[in-house]
Amino acid sequence: MIVGSGGREHAMARALASGPGVEILTAPGNPGTAALGTNLDLPADDVPALVATARDHRVELVVPGPEGPLVAGLADALVAAGIRCAGPGRAAARLEASKAFTRQVAAEAGVRSPVHRLVSDPAEIEAALAGFADPPVVKADGLAAGKGVMLPDDFDECRRLGRELLGGGLGEAGRRIVLEERLFGIEASLFYACRGTAFVALPHARDHKRLLEGDQGPNTGGMGAVSPNPAVGTDLERQVADEIIRPVLRVMVDRGTPFHGFLFAGLMLTTSGPALLEFNVRLGDPEAQAILPRIEQGRFLEVCSWVAGQGEDPPHFGIDPDPTCAVVLAAAGYPESPRRGDPIEIDPAVERPDRWFIHAGTAAGGGGLITAGGRVGAVVARGGDATTARRLAYDGVRLVRWEGMTYRRDVGAEVNGG
């Protein structure tokens, strides 16, 4: 059973369906997952209902997509019911639920991270800002559905944003804020399947967070991704594993809260080496759409099963050398006020062995598909090289239409030197 309803969950369903003898349930799913199995009319955050349904359907493995159910204790409840879960318990999920907690763990592990200050009262903002030479990043400490990271241009904006968050602008997520040194460089997303102190690297990716070309406009959940990340080489992969992932997993074990699940390390590649920006405790979206097709066909199930405690030795699998490019297509008004209900036209020619459409915010309506979320879907393509993958993806974008469709035209442009 897959938990979630977005593009990541459709990508996971595609990867799991390539395994032999797999029956897939998705709660609640979307039209894409419905084509690969059975959707269940269950909210992704209703932990008791998810556990009861998994028990009733004799589910052998649950693979959560979003962070919310994990932070709410889904894995703990499933394990207590005797059902394996490819995700961390509530205590380990704090690596995403609290940015302050992540900074504390990173400090214990000796991991390079931005200088930061934790603030819980508006009266503390001024003293905290005095510790920064330049305007810091302002972050809500808790989960904020991708809206909790702000990049102010000056100190006055820092003060304003800090007061807004502490005043309830993002609810409980912003009751504490983290002011954090702003680092510059190239962002990279590295992913690991983890079980205690053991881990296996998955394909890495580069995400495109801002809405507009050239990394302009508001932050979003992600407007596209390419895999592999062209800035990540073998030496850097080894450095991140040795200096960030291994020490953090050891600290989590020493704390009595071992991490079992998928760990997403968001890094800034600076001129003085990689620095940890954040951890997510699940696969990224849209990064999953780009990385999962590169895992050897049929082996993602084995990876999920190992993470959930089946077998002893970490799985070994091949990684397809052919790059992938995923271009996210968003609804009119995204991210502030996405419009729903626009009819979607998808030319069947978009689907071919090296290109496909991933459903995210789509729904059945009006005799076809309609927009039902901010990020409506993505066109994903695989090519013999990164340039070919990018060209195929954008050729596919032209085959998808709805009124007000928004997308970036420079996803993966760095592969062409752009």
PDB file of all heavy atoms in Angstrom, residues 6 79 111 119 142 164 199 341-343 412:
ATOM      1  N   GLY A   6       0.180  12.304  -4.789  1.00  0.00           N
ATOM      2  CA  GLY A   6       0.842  13.197  -5.722  1.00  0.00           C
ATOM      3  C   GLY A   6       1.654  12.506  -6.801  1.00  0.00           C
ATOM      4  O   GLY A   6       1.545  11.288  -7.017  1.00  0.00           O
ATOM      5  N   VAL A  79       3.924  -0.832  12.619  1.00  0.00           N
ATOM      6  CA  VAL A  79       4.808  -1.843  13.208  1.00  0.00           C
ATOM      7  C   VAL A  79       4.134  -2.484  14.422  1.00  0.00           C
ATOM      8  O   VAL A  79       4.217  -3.701  14.636  1.00  0.00           O
ATOM      9  CB  VAL A  79       6.164  -1.202  13.584  1.00  0.00           C
ATOM     10  CG1 VAL A  79       7.004  -2.180  14.404  1.00  0.00           C
ATOM     11  CG2 VAL A  79       6.920  -0.800  12.313  1.00  0.00           C
ATOM     12  N   VAL A 111      28.622  17.591  11.376  1.00  0.00           N
ATOM     13  CA  VAL A 111      28.279  17.838   9.977  1.00  0.00           C
ATOM     14  C   VAL A 111      28.260  19.338   9.710  1.00  0.00           C
ATOM     15  O   VAL A 111      27.669  20.110  10.481  1.00  0.00           O
ATOM     16  CB  VAL A 111      26.910  17.217   9.643  1.00  0.00           C
ATOM     17  CG1 VAL A 111      26.404  17.675   8.287  1.00  0.00           C
ATOM     18  CG2 VAL A 111      27.002  15.695   9.692  1.00  0.00           C
ATOM     19  N   VAL A 119      14.708  31.113  17.380  1.00  0.00           N
ATOM     20  CA  VAL A 119      13.961  32.212  17.984  1.00  0.00           C
ATOM     21  C   VAL A 119      12.528  31.745  18.263  1.00  0.00           C
ATOM     22  O   VAL A 119      11.881  31.175  17.378  1.00  0.00           O
ATOM     23  CB  VAL A 119      13.941  33.445  17.051  1.00  0.00           C
ATOM     24  CG1 VAL A 119      13.115  34.571  17.671  1.00  0.00           C
ATOM     25  CG2 VAL A 119      15.358  33.921  16.753  1.00  0.00           C
ATOM     26  N   GLY A 142       8.774  24.094  11.998  1.00  0.00           N
ATOM     27  CA  GLY A 142       7.980  22.891  11.759  1.00  0.00           C
ATOM     28  C   GLY A 142       7.595  22.693  10.311  1.00  0.00           C
ATOM     29  O   GLY A 142       8.058  23.404   9.410  1.00  0.00           O
ATOM     30  N   GLU A 164       5.839  37.874  11.519  1.00  0.00           N
ATOM     31  CA  GLU A 164       4.657  37.244  10.934  1.00  0.00           C
ATOM     32  C   GLU A 164       4.575  35.764  11.295  1.00  0.00           C
ATOM     33  O   GLU A 164       3.502  35.254  11.656  1.00  0.00           O
ATOM     34  CB  GLU A 164       4.670  37.419   9.415  1.00  0.00           C
ATOM     35  CG  GLU A 164       4.355  38.830   8.943  1.00  0.00           C
ATOM     36  CD  GLU A 164       4.405  38.948   7.434  1.00  0.00           C
ATOM     37  OE1 GLU A 164       4.631  37.911   6.759  1.00  0.00           O
ATOM     38  OE2 GLU A 164       4.232  40.070   6.924  1.00  0.00           O
ATOM     39  N   PHE A 199      23.215   1.879   4.903  1.00  0.00           N
ATOM     40  CA  PHE A 199      22.492   2.671   3.915  1.00  0.00           C
ATOM     41  C   PHE A 199      22.980   2.331   2.515  1.00  0.00           C
ATOM     42  O   PHE A 199      24.093   1.829   2.325  1.00  0.00           O
ATOM     43  CB  PHE A 199      22.636   4.171   4.184  1.00  0.00           C
ATOM     44  CG  PHE A 199      24.048   4.689   4.112  1.00  0.00           C
ATOM     45  CD1 PHE A 199      24.552   5.242   2.947  1.00  0.00           C
ATOM     46  CD2 PHE A 199      24.869   4.643   5.230  1.00  0.00           C
ATOM     47  CE1 PHE A 199      25.844   5.737   2.880  1.00  0.00           C
ATOM     48  CE2 PHE A 199      26.173   5.134   5.175  1.00  0.00           C
ATOM     49  CZ  PHE A 199      26.657   5.681   4.000  1.00  0.00           C
ATOM     50  N   GLY A 341     -10.184  22.673 -11.639  1.00  0.00           N
ATOM     51  CA  GLY A 341     -11.325  22.445 -12.502  1.00  0.00           C
ATOM     52  C   GLY A 341     -11.107  22.702 -13.974  1.00  0.00           C
ATOM     53  O   GLY A 341     -12.039  22.535 -14.766  1.00  0.00           O
ATOM     54  N   ASP A 342      -9.889  23.081 -14.388  1.00  0.00           N
ATOM     55  CA  ASP A 342      -9.627  23.289 -15.815  1.00  0.00           C
ATOM     56  C   ASP A 342      -9.499  21.946 -16.530  1.00  0.00           C
ATOM     57  O   ASP A 342      -8.754  21.062 -16.072  1.00  0.00           O
ATOM     58  CB  ASP A 342      -8.345  24.096 -16.019  1.00  0.00           C
ATOM     59  CG  ASP A 342      -8.520  25.568 -15.654  1.00  0.00           C
ATOM     60  OD1 ASP A 342      -9.556  26.130 -16.029  1.00  0.00           O
ATOM     61  OD2 ASP A 342      -7.622  26.134 -15.005  1.00  0.00           O
ATOM     62  N   PRO A 343     -10.175  21.750 -17.660  1.00  0.00           N
ATOM     63  CA  PRO A 343     -10.048  20.493 -18.413  1.00  0.00           C
ATOM     64  C   PRO A 343      -8.615  20.294 -18.923  1.00  0.00           C
ATOM     65  O   PRO A 343      -7.975  21.247 -19.383  1.00  0.00           O
ATOM     66  CB  PRO A 343     -11.025  20.676 -19.575  1.00  0.00           C
ATOM     67  CG  PRO A 343     -11.970  21.732 -19.123  1.00  0.00           C
ATOM     68  CD  PRO A 343     -11.176  22.657 -18.250  1.00  0.00           C
ATOM     69  N   GLY A 412      16.922  21.623 -16.326  1.00  0.00           N
ATOM     70  CA  GLY A 412      18.034  20.896 -16.913  1.00  0.00           C
ATOM     71  C   GLY A 412      18.866  21.688 -17.882  1.00  0.00           C
ATOM     72  O   GLY A 412      19.698  21.125 -18.603  1.00  0.00           O
TER      73      GLY A 412
END
